[in-house]
Coordinates of all heavy atoms in Angstrom, one line a residue:
R1195 N 17.1 -22.9 -46.9 CA 17.1 -21.7 -46.1 C 15.9 -20.8 -46.6 O 15.2 -20.2 -45.7 CB 18.4 -21.0 -46.2 CG 18.5 -19.7 -45.4 CD 19.8 -19.0 -45.5 NE 20.9 -19.9 -45.1 CZ 22.2 -19.5 -45.1 NH1 22.5 -18.3 -45.6 NH2 23.2 -20.2 -44.7
R1196 N 15.7 -20.6 -47.9 CA 14.7 -19.7 -48.3 C 13.3 -20.1 -47.8 O 12.5 -19.3 -47.4 CB 14.7 -19.6 -49.9 CG 13.5 -18.9 -50.5 CD 13.6 -17.4 -50.3 NE 12.4 -16.7 -50.8 CZ 12.3 -15.6 -51.4 NH1 13.4 -14.9 -51.7 NH2 11.2 -15.0 -51.8
E1197 N 13.1 -21.4 -47.9 CA 11.8 -21.9 -47.4 C 11.6 -21.7 -45.9 O 10.5 -21.3 -45.5 CB 11.7 -23.4 -47.7 CG 10.3 -24.0 -47.4 CD 10.2 -25.5 -47.7 OE1 11.1 -26.0 -48.4 OE2 9.2 -26.1 -47.2
R1198 N 12.7 -21.9 -45.2 CA 12.6 -21.6 -43.7 C 12.3 -20.1 -43.4 O 11.6 -19.8 -42.5 CB 13.9 -22.1 -43.0 CG 13.9 -23.6 -42.8 CD 14.9 -24.0 -41.7 NE 16.2 -23.4 -41.8 CZ 17.1 -23.9 -42.6 NH1 16.9 -25.0 -43.3 NH2 18.3 -23.3 -42.7
V1199 N 12.9 -19.3 -44.2 CA 12.7 -17.8 -44.0 C 11.2 -17.5 -44.3 O 10.6 -16.8 -43.5 CB 13.6 -17.0 -44.9 CG1 13.2 -15.5 -45.0 CG2 15.1 -17.1 -44.5
E1200 N 10.7 -18.0 -45.4 CA 9.3 -17.8 -45.7 C 8.4 -18.4 -44.6 O 7.4 -17.8 -44.2 CB 9.0 -18.3 -47.1 CG 9.6 -17.5 -48.2 CD 9.1 -17.9 -49.6 OE1 8.2 -18.7 -49.7 OE2 9.6 -17.3 -50.6
T1201 N 8.7 -19.6 -44.2 CA 7.9 -20.3 -43.2 C 7.9 -19.5 -41.9 O 6.8 -19.3 -41.2 CB 8.4 -21.7 -42.9 OG1 8.3 -22.4 -44.1 CG2 7.5 -22.4 -41.9
T1202 N 9.0 -18.9 -41.5 CA 9.1 -18.2 -40.3 C 8.3 -16.9 -40.4 O 7.5 -16.5 -39.4 CB 10.6 -17.8 -39.9 OG1 11.3 -19.0 -39.9 CG2 10.7 -17.1 -38.6
L1203 N 8.4 -16.2 -41.5 CA 7.6 -15.0 -41.7 C 6.1 -15.3 -41.7 O 5.3 -14.7 -41.0 CB 7.9 -14.3 -43.0 CG 9.3 -13.7 -43.1 CD1 9.6 -13.4 -44.6 CD2 9.4 -12.4 -42.3
D1204 N 5.8 -16.4 -42.3 CA 4.3 -16.8 -42.4 C 3.8 -17.2 -41.0 O 2.7 -17.0 -40.7 CB 4.2 -18.0 -43.4 CG 2.7 -18.3 -43.6 OD1 2.0 -17.4 -44.2 OD2 2.3 -19.4 -43.3
T1205 N 4.7 -17.8 -40.2 CA 4.2 -18.2 -38.9 C 3.9 -17.0 -38.1 O 2.8 -17.0 -37.3 CB 5.4 -19.0 -38.2 OG1 5.6 -20.2 -38.9 CG2 5.0 -19.4 -36.7
Y1206 N 4.6 -16.0 -38.1 CA 4.3 -14.8 -37.4 C 3.0 -14.1 -37.9 O 2.1 -13.8 -37.1 CB 5.5 -13.7 -37.5 CG 5.1 -12.4 -36.9 CD1 5.2 -12.2 -35.6 CD2 4.7 -11.3 -37.7 CE1 4.9 -11.0 -35.0 CE2 4.3 -10.1 -37.2 CZ 4.4 -9.9 -35.8 OH 4.1 -8.7 -35.3
L1207 N 2.9 -14.0 -39.2 CA 1.7 -13.4 -39.8 C 0.5 -14.2 -39.5 O -0.6 -13.7 -39.3 CB 1.9 -13.2 -41.3 CG 3.0 -12.2 -41.7 CD1 3.2 -12.2 -43.1 CD2 2.6 -10.7 -41.2
A1208 N 0.6 -15.5 -39.6 CA -0.5 -16.4 -39.4 C -1.0 -16.3 -37.9 O -2.2 -16.3 -37.6 CB -0.2 -17.9 -39.6
A1209 N -0.1 -16.1 -37.0 CA -0.4 -15.9 -35.5 C -1.2 -14.7 -35.3 O -2.2 -14.7 -34.6 CB 0.8 -16.0 -34.7
I1210 N -0.8 -13.6 -35.9 CA -1.6 -12.3 -35.6 C -2.9 -12.3 -36.4 O -3.8 -11.7 -36.0 CB -0.7 -11.1 -36.0 CG1 -0.4 -10.9 -37.5 CG2 0.6 -11.1 -35.1 CD1 0.2 -9.6 -37.8
E1211 N -2.9 -13.0 -37.5 CA -4.2 -13.1 -38.3 C -5.2 -14.0 -37.6 O -6.4 -13.7 -37.6 CB -3.9 -13.7 -39.7 CG -5.1 -13.8 -40.6 CD -4.8 -14.3 -42.0 OE1 -4.0 -15.2 -42.1 OE2 -5.5 -13.9 -42.9
A1212 N -4.7 -15.1 -36.9 CA -5.6 -16.0 -36.3 C -6.3 -15.4 -35.0 O -7.4 -15.7 -34.7 CB -4.9 -17.2 -35.9
R1213 N -5.5 -14.5 -34.3 CA -6.1 -13.9 -33.1 C -5.8 -12.4 -33.1 O -5.1 -11.8 -32.3 CB -5.4 -14.5 -31.9 CG -5.5 -16.0 -31.9 CD -5.0 -16.6 -30.6 NE -6.0 -16.6 -29.6 CZ -5.8 -16.9 -28.3 NH1 -4.6 -17.2 -27.8 NH2 -6.8 -16.9 -27.4
P1214 N -6.5 -11.7 -34.1 CA -6.3 -10.2 -34.2 C -6.6 -9.4 -33.0 O -6.0 -8.4 -32.7 CB -7.1 -9.8 -35.4 CG -8.2 -10.9 -35.5 CD -7.5 -12.1 -35.0
Q1215 N -7.6 -9.9 -32.2 CA -8.0 -9.1 -31.0 C -6.9 -9.2 -30.0 O -6.6 -8.2 -29.3 CB -9.3 -9.6 -30.5 CG -10.5 -9.3 -31.3 CD -10.9 -7.8 -31.2 OE1 -10.2 -6.9 -31.5 NE2 -12.2 -7.6 -30.7
V1216 N -6.3 -10.4 -29.9 CA -5.2 -10.5 -28.9 C -4.0 -9.7 -29.4 O -3.4 -9.0 -28.6 CB -4.7 -12.0 -28.8 CG1 -3.5 -12.1 -28.0 CG2 -5.9 -12.8 -28.2
Y1217 N -3.7 -9.7 -30.7 CA -2.6 -8.9 -31.2 C -2.9 -7.4 -30.9 O -2.0 -6.7 -30.4 CB -2.5 -9.1 -32.7 CG -1.5 -8.1 -33.3 CD1 -0.2 -8.3 -33.3 CD2 -2.0 -7.0 -34.0 CE1 0.7 -7.4 -33.8 CE2 -1.1 -6.1 -34.6 CZ 0.2 -6.3 -34.5 OH 1.1 -5.3 -35.0
R1218 N -4.1 -6.9 -31.1 CA -4.4 -5.5 -30.9 C -4.3 -5.1 -29.4 O -3.9 -4.0 -29.1 CB -5.8 -5.2 -31.5 CG -5.8 -5.2 -33.0 CD -7.1 -4.7 -33.6 NE -7.1 -4.8 -35.1 CZ -7.7 -5.7 -35.8 NH1 -8.4 -6.7 -35.2 NH2 -7.6 -5.8 -37.1
F1219 N -4.7 -6.1 -28.6 CA -4.6 -5.8 -27.1 C -3.2 -5.7 -26.7 O -2.8 -4.8 -25.9 CB -5.3 -7.0 -26.4 CG -5.1 -6.9 -24.9 CD1 -6.0 -6.1 -24.1 CD2 -4.1 -7.6 -24.2 CE1 -5.9 -6.0 -22.8 CE2 -4.0 -7.5 -22.8 CZ -4.9 -6.7 -22.1
L1220 N -2.3 -6.5 -27.3 CA -0.9 -6.5 -26.9 C -0.1 -5.3 -27.5 O 0.7 -4.7 -26.8 CB -0.2 -7.8 -27.3 CG -0.7 -9.1 -26.6 CD1 0.0 -10.3 -27.2 CD2 -0.5 -8.9 -25.1
M1221 N -0.4 -5.0 -28.7 CA 0.3 -3.9 -29.4 C -0.3 -2.6 -29.5 O 0.3 -1.5 -29.6 CB 0.6 -4.4 -30.9 CG 1.6 -5.6 -30.9 SD 3.2 -5.1 -30.1 CE 4.0 -6.7 -30.1
H1222 N -1.7 -2.6 -29.3 CA -2.4 -1.3 -29.4 C -3.4 -1.3 -28.2 O -4.6 -1.2 -28.4 CB -3.1 -1.1 -30.7 CG -2.2 -1.2 -31.9 ND1 -1.4 -0.1 -32.2 CD2 -2.0 -2.2 -32.8 CE1 -0.7 -0.5 -33.3 NE2 -1.1 -1.7 -33.7
P1223 N -3.0 -1.4 -27.0 CA -3.9 -1.7 -25.9 C -4.9 -0.6 -25.6 O -5.9 -0.8 -25.0 CB -3.0 -1.9 -24.7 CG -1.6 -1.7 -25.1 CD -1.6 -1.5 -26.6
A1224 N -4.6 0.7 -26.1 CA -5.5 1.8 -25.7 C -6.5 2.0 -26.8 O -7.4 2.9 -26.6 CB -4.7 3.1 -25.5
E1225 N -6.5 1.3 -27.9 CA -7.5 1.5 -29.0 C -8.9 1.1 -28.5 O -9.1 0.1 -27.8 CB -7.2 0.6 -30.2 CG -6.1 1.1 -31.1 CD -5.9 0.3 -32.3 OE1 -6.6 -0.8 -32.4 OE2 -5.1 0.6 -33.1
G1226 N -9.8 1.9 -28.8 CA -11.2 1.6 -28.5 C -11.7 1.8 -27.1 O -12.9 1.5 -26.8
A1227 N -10.8 2.2 -26.2 CA -11.2 2.4 -24.8 C -10.2 3.4 -24.2 O -9.0 3.4 -24.6 CB -11.2 1.1 -24.1
P1228 N -10.7 4.1 -23.2 CA -9.7 5.0 -22.5 C -8.7 4.2 -21.8 O -8.9 3.1 -21.3 CB -10.6 5.7 -21.5 CG -12.0 5.5 -21.9 CD -12.0 4.2 -22.7
T1229 N -7.4 4.7 -21.8 CA -6.4 4.0 -21.1 C -6.6 4.1 -19.6 O -6.9 5.1 -19.0 CB -5.0 4.7 -21.4 OG1 -4.8 4.7 -22.8 CG2 -3.9 4.0 -20.7
E1230 N -6.6 2.9 -18.9 CA -6.8 2.9 -17.5 C -5.7 3.5 -16.7 O -4.6 3.5 -17.1 CB -7.0 1.4 -17.1 CG -8.2 0.7 -17.7 CD -8.6 -0.6 -17.1 OE1 -8.3 -0.8 -15.9 OE2 -9.2 -1.4 -17.8
Q1231 N -6.1 4.1 -15.6 CA -5.2 4.9 -14.8 C -4.0 4.0 -14.5 O -4.1 2.9 -14.0 CB -5.9 5.4 -13.6 CG -5.0 6.3 -12.7 CD -5.7 6.9 -11.5 OE1 -6.9 6.5 -11.3 NE2 -5.1 7.8 -10.8
G1232 N -2.8 4.6 -14.7 CA -1.6 3.9 -14.3 C -1.0 2.9 -15.3 O 0.0 2.3 -15.1
F1233 N -1.7 2.8 -16.5 CA -1.3 1.9 -17.5 C -0.6 2.6 -18.6 O -1.2 3.3 -19.4 CB -2.5 1.1 -18.0 CG -2.1 0.0 -19.0 CD1 -1.2 -1.0 -18.7 CD2 -2.6 0.0 -20.3 CE1 -0.9 -2.0 -19.6 CE2 -2.3 -1.0 -21.2 CZ -1.4 -2.0 -20.8
D1234 N 0.7 2.4 -18.7 CA 1.6 3.0 -19.7 C 1.7 2.1 -20.9 O 2.4 1.1 -20.8 CB 2.9 3.4 -19.1 CG 3.9 4.1 -20.1 OD1 3.6 4.0 -21.3 OD2 4.8 4.7 -19.6
V1235 N 1.1 2.4 -22.0 CA 1.1 1.5 -23.2 C 2.5 1.2 -23.7 O 2.9 0.0 -23.8 CB 0.2 2.1 -24.3 CG1 0.4 1.3 -25.6 CG2 -1.2 2.2 -24.0
G1236 N 3.3 2.2 -23.9 CA 4.6 2.1 -24.5 C 5.5 1.3 -23.5 O 6.3 0.4 -24.0
K1237 N 5.4 1.5 -22.2 CA 6.2 0.8 -21.2 C 6.0 -0.7 -21.4 O 7.0 -1.5 -21.2 CB 5.9 1.2 -19.8 CG 6.6 0.5 -18.7 CD 6.1 1.0 -17.4 CE 6.7 0.1 -16.2 NZ 6.2 0.6 -14.9
H1238 N 4.8 -1.2 -21.7 CA 4.5 -2.6 -21.7 C 4.6 -3.3 -23.0 O 4.9 -4.4 -23.1 CB 3.2 -2.8 -21.1 CG 3.1 -2.5 -19.6 ND1 3.7 -3.2 -18.6 CD2 2.5 -1.4 -19.0 CE1 3.5 -2.6 -17.4 NE2 2.8 -1.5 -17.6

């Protein structure tokens, strides 16, 4: 169980580390550019 817990945590962290731009687009979509009209960051 302990190994599976660590592997699961590592899987998540490895995914966001491998594609940080995708992660930032999904979780911080307004960073680095004006929010486009009609796009509610929190809603999505």
Side-chain angles (χ1 to χ4, degrees):
R1195 185 181 296 178
R1196 170 73 188 218
E1197 184 180 346
R1198 283 201 306 277
V1199 169
E1200 291 191 0
T1201 300
T1202 303
L1203 292 168
D1204 188 63
T1205 296
Y1206 173 81
L1207 294 171
I1210 67 172
E1211 182 180 35
R1213 308 188 85 191
Q1215 290 286 60
V1216 173
Y1217 170 79
R1218 292 186 179 104
F1219 176 82
L1220 294 177
M1221 292 301 174
H1222 304 286
E1225 279 185 0
T1229 301
E1230 296 191 26
Q1231 186 175 8
F1233 183 58
D1234 182 343
V1235 173
K1237 174 184 176 182
H1238 294 289

